[in-house]
Amino acid sequence: MVIVMSPGATPSDVEAIVEVIGTAGGEAFVSRGVSRTIIGLVGDVARFEALDLRAMAGVADVMRVSTPYKLVSRENHPERSTVRVGGVPIGPGTVTLIAGPCAVETPEQTLQAAEMAKAAGATLLRGGAYKPRTSPYAFQGLGEAGLRILADVREETGLPVVTEVVDAHDVELVASYADMLQVGTRNAQNFALLQAVGASGRPVMLKRGMNATIEEWLMAAEYIAQRGNLDVVLCERGIRTFETATRNTLDVSAVPVAQRLSHLPVIVDPSHSGGRRDLVLPLTRAAVAVGADGVIIDVHPHPEQALCDGPQALVDGDLAELADVMRRFPALLGKTAAGELLTSA
Ligand code: PEP
Ligand code: MN
């Protein structure tokens, strides 16, 4: 069982619950988040139910959920959630386009990529300042200098920034520049990092681990939620299979499966899934058609010079088609592209 405390709950409200649970022979695990406290209960559920916990001071919700993930489960939360990033919605009813360079390289390259993203209808800018690279000899990102470039480009274009954090120690710094924190596939089960982003007060985009089952992915999201942060967006980015023609295999079925199991929004990364420019638009169409709440796409003004993932970046010549997909495909499903929603507001 899980108890969600209301934002105004006092430390003594929490103490009282811990005591009552202890007296009932159970254990209470208290997680104090930025906006609210979550208490996990271990022990005899029937005895807890007899306690009428809902009536205790400061309690907002008592959840008895059969799945191992509780706060992100749809069982107790049938409405699908919308997460807002700098005012941009990601959730049911809209399809949000996030685009930008894989890595921030220079101010000019980042600004040009952001302008490409905007031209295609993107409402959020992606770009990595900390890059988790397979090789220690590859470009590792510009670090804080890259975050400053992203903040400048946000200023110039008005696009809120999504950027990856790879180390729990950097969360506060990255959160001071970013509108949304990204946790990448290689860190998808780095529990210290998940807890740190859960305490950051920023929305989080959680990529699926390349070898993670959907349940493991949702358990990773639960780590973030358990720190009081329910502003989590799940991102399917392809999984490892025996296939070598593509970088990863986009698990299209993961989108409706995750949406049925969890109330969190689910987006798709067609760039890192296929790892090939020629597959990005077909996979984007598939993602929107299967019901994804958004897509995150790499674009680059000069991919042949890119320091990271050039072969999968869309170029200027692809933007009209991407914009066309974003205009027509959401409408077929009765959805609005998030870009249109903001322009008509
Ligand atoms: C990225 O989006 O830049 C990235 C590294 O993605 P992933 O973690 O999915 O490989
Ligand atoms: Mn990349």
Side-chain angles (χ1 to χ4, degrees):
M1 271 173 114
V2 173
I3 299 179
V4 180
M5 301 301 286
S6 59
T10 64
S12 59
D13 293 340
V14 174
E15 283 292 301
I17 288 167
V18 172
E19 204 176 309
V20 157
I21 295 300
T23 312
E27 254 185 294
F29 294 93
V30 178
S31 170
R32 289 186 178 82
V34 179
S35 57
R36 52 173 81 232
T37 295
I38 311 281
I39 309 177
L41 308 185
V42 177
D44 182 350
V45 173
R47 283 187 74 181
F48 298 158
E49 273 179 350
L51 296 173
D52 197 13
L53 296 164
R54 235 172 252 279
M56 289 185 70
V59 172
D61 199 5
V62 179
M63 300 165 76
R64 189 178 174 188
V65 179
S66 61
T67 51
Y69 39 89
K70 314 284 179 198
L71 301 164
V72 307
S73 172
R74 207 165 162 187
E75 211 174 296
N76 220 28
H77 193 301
E79 292 271 290
R80 298 195 54 235
S81 296
T82 295
V83 171
R84 282 179 190 276
V85 182
V88 176
I90 307 177
T94 52
V95 180
T96 306
L97 173 61
I98 308 169
C102 176
V104 174
E105 299 165 12
T106 65
E108 298 72 30
Q109 166 258 5
T110 308
L111 180 59
Q112 282 174 38
E115 279 163 353
M116 291 170 70
K118 233 178 150 169
T123 47
L124 295 171
L125 172 67
R126 65 147 290 147
Y130 295 85
K131 297 305 301 176
R133 304 304 297 277
T134 303
S135 165
Y137 304 112
F139 176 59
Q140 305 286 311
L142 298 179
E144 189 172 359
L147 296 175
R148 279 197 291 269
I149 293 173
L150 285 167
D152 289 345
V153 172
R154 170 178 52 207
E155 189 75 21
E156 189 115 354
T157 60
L159 295 175
V161 165
V162 182
T163 194
E164 182 162 356
V165 56
V166 298
D167 188 319
H169 298 108
D170 295 330
V171 167
E172 213 174 309
L173 175 75
V174 179
S176 71
Y177 289 94
D179 299 282
M180 177 180 233
L181 302 176
Q182 176 175 328
V183 174
T185 193
R186 293 160 187 81
N187 267 314
Q189 284 188 309
N190 177 338
F191 300 118
L193 179 63
L194 296 172
Q195 289 174 326
V197 297
S200 70
R202 289 275 183 224
V204 177
M205 188 222 296
L206 174 64
K207 296 259 188 126
R208 178 180 180 183
M210 63 181 91
N211 299 306
T213 62
I214 293 172
E215 183 167 300
E216 286 166 337
W217 186 21
L218 297 179
M219 291 307 286
E222 186 79 8
Y223 265 90
I224 303 171
Q226 199 252 355
R227 286 290 154 124
N229 187 353
L230 281 162
D231 287 332
V232 181
V233 172
L234 301 167
C235 179
E236 160 63 39
R237 50 78 68 201
I239 52 173
R240 279 277 165 92
T241 67
F242 54 80
E243 184 53 70
T244 55
T246 48
R247 188 175 178 186
N248 296 281
T249 299
L250 175 61
D251 181 5
V252 168
S253 41
V255 175
V257 171
Q259 286 173 338
R260 256 160 232 173
L261 295 173
S262 171
H263 59 86
L264 300 177
V266 182
I267 68 169
V268 166
D269 181 339
S271 307
H272 288 82
S273 298
R276 289 169 37 176
R277 181 172 308 124
D278 64 326
L279 298 182
V280 173
L281 286 163
L283 296 182
T284 300
R285 288 193 280 267
V288 179
V290 83
D293 301 305
V295 284
I296 176 164
I297 292 179
D298 286 9
V299 298
H300 198 291
H302 306 290
E304 65 294 345
Q305 292 163 21
L307 297 177
C308 186
D309 288 349
Q312 70 194 31
L314 293 188
V315 295
D316 266 326
D318 300 314
L319 301 182
E321 195 177 341
L322 175 58
D324 183 58
V325 171
M326 293 311 295
R327 215 173 9 250
R328 289 189 305 115
F329 273 62
L332 290 174
L333 300 160
K335 295 183 176 183
T336 320
E340 284 174 37
L341 203 75
L342 294 179
T343 25
S344 62

